[in-house]
Amino acid sequence: MASSDIEAATALKVQGNKAFAQHEWPTAVDFYTQAIEKYDREPSFFSNRAQAQIKLEAYGFAIADASKALELDPAYTKAYWRRALANTAILNYKDALKDFKAVVKREPGNRDAKVKLADCEKLVRRLEFEKAIEVGDPPSAFEDLDIDSMAVDTGYDGVRLENEMTQEFIDDMIERFKKGKRIPRKYVFQIIKAVKDLVYAEPTMVEVGVEQGKKLTVCGDTHGQFFDLLEIFRLNGYPSDTHSYLFNGDFVDRGSWSTEIALVLYAYKWLRPNGIFLNRGNHETDDMNKVYGFEGECKAKYNETVFKVFSESFSALPLATLIGNKYLVLHGGLFSDDNTSLDDIRKLDRHNQRQPGQQGLMMEMLWTDPQTEPGRGPSKRGVGLQFGPDVTKRFCERNGLEAIIRSHEVRMEGYEVEHDGRCITVFSAPKYCDTTENKGAFINVGPELKLDFQVFEAVPHPDIKPMAYAQNSILSMM
């Protein structure tokens, strides 16, 4: 290997570090990749790329890169650290535990590593305990709730909620949330119960059209970024009789206003059952909520029962929406089997399987991602799989679709059209987690079923950090 190649590779790494410092994660990955192509024996190139992959939530790729760095240098502490974080992010706590132990062993004075190790040990114990006491089919969390007889807190000075949702209540609730106030628990339970019943009765794949004089807006992940949700409504109009919305999963977790987003979307769903559509995302699941903040937020702002009823309502949500027989909207993406059809989605009994698990149709709908290469590949996340343009083309042709619309991944411009126009990603959480310099986007669809992409910037919010309610500190370093 010529020394000029090593110098060139090192220069590319430096450029990658600069891009990383500016929160341009995809650019950083590109530079580190170019460095590795020039010289593939330097562990820091792989370890740095692992860190950028973590920022992109490509945890599977991060684990592979950290492992390669350790293959080149088994004493490389940073690589153990990054592999541990990536494994934690996809809930592989036992693997993470080994790596946190390796860090502490090599750096006994590293306080942060000791805290992470202790947190990881607690998580492993908690999960083992929960598994041990698990009952086959837990009773409904609503069973022991006598919502009618609950009192409204005496200090509540807002609009009252009776047996029907009103626009007046929603407007008042939004204003309260903007000021950091809450609504009474009785109303929270009323809203969740009403919406759980509504969405439970909907098919697994909801089928909608767009009538003359109306429009439908498709939004991607909002991830607890309540003030950015309000910016969408300010720019594009609030839900109304002529303007419906479809939110494509991941309303909650990470951002610290997840309960506010969920309650506003649910309130609109109750007011206009045919004007708001909600697809389930991979973060409307118990495993993710326990780690990424939603469970902790429910407990901090309301109580544990609120989380339990939200969880039950999430498992009732539809998994996909078909717009005008032309666009299939689902959170993650396509399937491991080319023979999977829209009819298979229609027939999927989501009520028998509350959580998506590690395999099967539901997991794939919530977790998969597109790739540029043909065929299928291992998931960059470490969960699910990736599908190429040929897979998308076959699926669309066999099912008479123009394209699939999915979310699930940050896109720096807020959206991306891939796979020869047949795979569209829309992401609606700008400046994601306050650290990624991405824009947000949403898609307006009119009666002609043409897609009109709108891009928007993040707006200021009160100084509460993302993951403020996470149950442990493990992910705070990511």
Side-chain angles (χ1 to χ4, degrees):
M1 172 66 64
S3 63
S4 59
D5 280 344
I6 298 172
E7 281 170 24
T10 305
L12 286 163
K13 174 191 159 181
V14 170
Q15 283 185 275
N17 291 350
K18 278 185 191 162
F20 188 91
Q22 289 163 350
H23 297 178
E24 296 284 351
W25 321 126
T27 308
V29 167
D30 285 345
F31 279 125
Y32 296 139
T33 302
Q34 289 174 51
I36 288 163
E37 283 165 359
K38 290 257 181 223
Y39 181 62
D40 63 1
R41 307 301 299 159
E42 171 51 55
S44 69
F45 297 172
F46 291 96
S47 180
N48 286 18
R49 189 169 69 175
Q51 180 70 344
Q53 298 288 17
I54 285 171
K55 293 293 187 183
L56 288 168
E57 298 182 17
Y59 303 118
F61 284 2
I63 290 163
D65 274 345
S67 299
K68 181 67 181 173
L70 289 166
E71 199 181 292
L72 293 167
D73 179 2
Y76 197 7
T77 311
K78 268 186 187 169
Y80 285 110
W81 176 253
R82 287 165 183 169
R83 190 167 68 180
L85 289 181
N87 269 311
T88 301
I90 55 172
L91 319 184
N92 286 342
Y93 300 121
K94 287 186 175 172
D95 289 339
L97 196 59
K98 288 178 203 161
D99 283 339
F100 282 130
K101 281 178 178 169
V103 174
V104 171
K105 185 180 172 186
R106 283 165 179 78
E107 294 183 1
N110 185 331
R111 284 183 57 200
D112 199 35
K114 284 180 179 172
V115 170
K116 294 282 189 288
L117 174 59
D119 275 342
C120 196
E121 285 172 335
K122 268 188 231 158
L123 263 171
V124 169
R125 283 198 299 272
R126 173 185 163 182
L127 291 168
E128 284 174 349
F129 173 72
E130 285 175 358
K131 204 166 186 183
I133 61 165
E134 211 172 62
V135 288
D137 201 4
S140 168
F142 289 103
E143 264 180 29
D144 298 327
L145 280 181
D146 186 357
I147 299 172
D148 292 340
S149 65
M150 284 181 188
V152 171
D153 327 359
T154 50
Y156 176 68
D157 56 357
V159 171
R160 300 274 155 166
L161 178 62
E162 302 301 336
N163 294 322
E164 295 293 330
M165 181 52 65
T166 65
Q167 188 65 54
E168 185 191 15
F169 180 86
I170 295 176
D171 294 343
D172 181 67
M173 177 172 69
I174 288 172
E175 287 309 309
R176 294 181 74 78
F177 287 165
K178 278 157 75 173
K179 293 172 188 160
K181 295 181 175 179
R182 291 169 202 154
I183 59 170
R185 262 187 304 217
K186 175 186 173 90
Y187 294 168
V188 173
F189 289 128
Q190 270 183 274
I191 292 167
I192 299 170
K193 176 75 169 74
V195 172
K196 186 248 173 181
D197 292 345
L198 280 169
V199 297
Y200 190 95
E202 289 181 330
T204 296
M205 184 176 76
V206 174
E207 302 184 38
V208 299
V210 186
E211 295 170 12
Q212 286 303 319
K214 297 191 176 180
K215 80 170 170 182
L216 167 66
T217 299
V218 181
C219 297
D221 305 30
T222 48
H223 271 305
Q225 295 185 197
F226 176 65
F227 293 87
D228 295 316
L229 171 70
L230 296 187
E231 178 69 356
I232 294 173
F233 290 153
R234 186 188 74 77
L235 292 168
N236 195 51
Y238 282 78
S240 71
D241 291 337
T242 56
H243 186 180
S244 52
Y245 274 83
L246 162 57
F247 286 87
N248 193 26
D250 284 15
F251 332 119
V252 302
D253 278 343
R254 294 194 180 274
S256 294
W257 290 270
S258 293
T259 54
E260 286 81 0
I261 284 193
L263 287 167
V264 167
L265 297 185
Y266 274 26
Y268 271 118
K269 179 70 180 172
W270 188 7
L271 181 66
R272 290 190 180 83
N274 297 313
I276 284 267
F277 302 97
L278 304 169
N279 284 347
R280 190 178 190 179
N282 67 305
H283 276 270
E284 280 72 52
T285 57
D286 287 356
D287 285 351
M288 303 304 271
N289 295 158
K290 286 176 192 300
V291 175
Y292 286 94
F294 185 60
E295 181 185 40
E297 186 182 330
C298 288
K299 287 177 178 176
K301 292 180 180 175
Y302 297 102
N303 66 10
E304 187 174 3
T305 310
V306 165
F307 171 66
K308 285 182 175 170
V309 293
F310 259 129
S311 164
E312 205 166 309
S313 74
F314 289 165
S315 67
L317 289 169
L319 302 178
T321 303
L322 183 63
I323 302 174
N325 294 317
K326 217 172 181 183
Y327 303 105
L328 176 68
V329 186
L330 73 175
H331 181 71
L334 295 180
F335 312 100
S336 53
D337 183 351
D338 267 350
N339 293 317
T340 304
S341 68
L342 294 182
D343 268 346
D344 292 316
I345 301 173
R346 287 186 183 101
K347 286 184 222 156
L348 177 63
D349 182 2
R350 70 192 192 278
H351 300 315
N352 257 345
Q353 184 189 346
R354 288 190 52 178
Q355 302 301 323
Q358 294 297 306
Q359 56 190 33
L361 211 56
M362 188 194 291
M363 183 279 289
E364 291 176 358
M365 292 175 76
L366 300 187
W367 276 99
T368 60
D369 296 293
Q371 64 181 24
T372 51
E373 306 80 25
R376 293 176 174 85
S379 168
K380 62 185 173 188
R381 295 172 191 272
V383 182
L385 57 104
Q386 295 189 170
F387 57 94
D390 55 329
V391 175
T392 305
K393 181 173 189 273
R394 287 193 297 270
F395 180 81
C396 288
E397 285 176 354
R398 286 178 181 182
N399 290 283
L401 298 172
E402 196 156 303
I404 65 161
I405 298 173
R406 40 90 62 185
S407 303
H408 194 40
E409 287 181 285
V410 177
R411 289 293 188 260
M412 297 310 280
E413 293 305 310
Y415 75 95
E416 188 176 358
V417 181
E418 301 169 80
H419 292 188
D420 303 315
R422 290 186 178 273
C423 178
I424 295 152
T425 299
V426 61
F427 191 83
S428 305
K431 201 163 186 191
Y432 180 45
C433 291
D434 289 352
T435 58
T436 303
E437 297 300 327
N438 65 296
K439 298 183 176 88
F442 50 87
I443 307 170
N444 285 324
V445 189
E448 297 79 33
L449 301 181
K450 295 280 178 276
L451 304 182
D452 175 22
F453 298 95
Q454 302 288 325
V455 174
F456 68 104
E457 302 279 353
V459 293
H461 61 72
D463 188 20
I464 300 171
K465 298 284 180 279
M467 303 284 287
Y469 300 98
Q471 294 290 279
N472 61 75
S473 69
I474 292 181
L475 297 169
S476 62
M477 291 297 292
M478 290 170 66

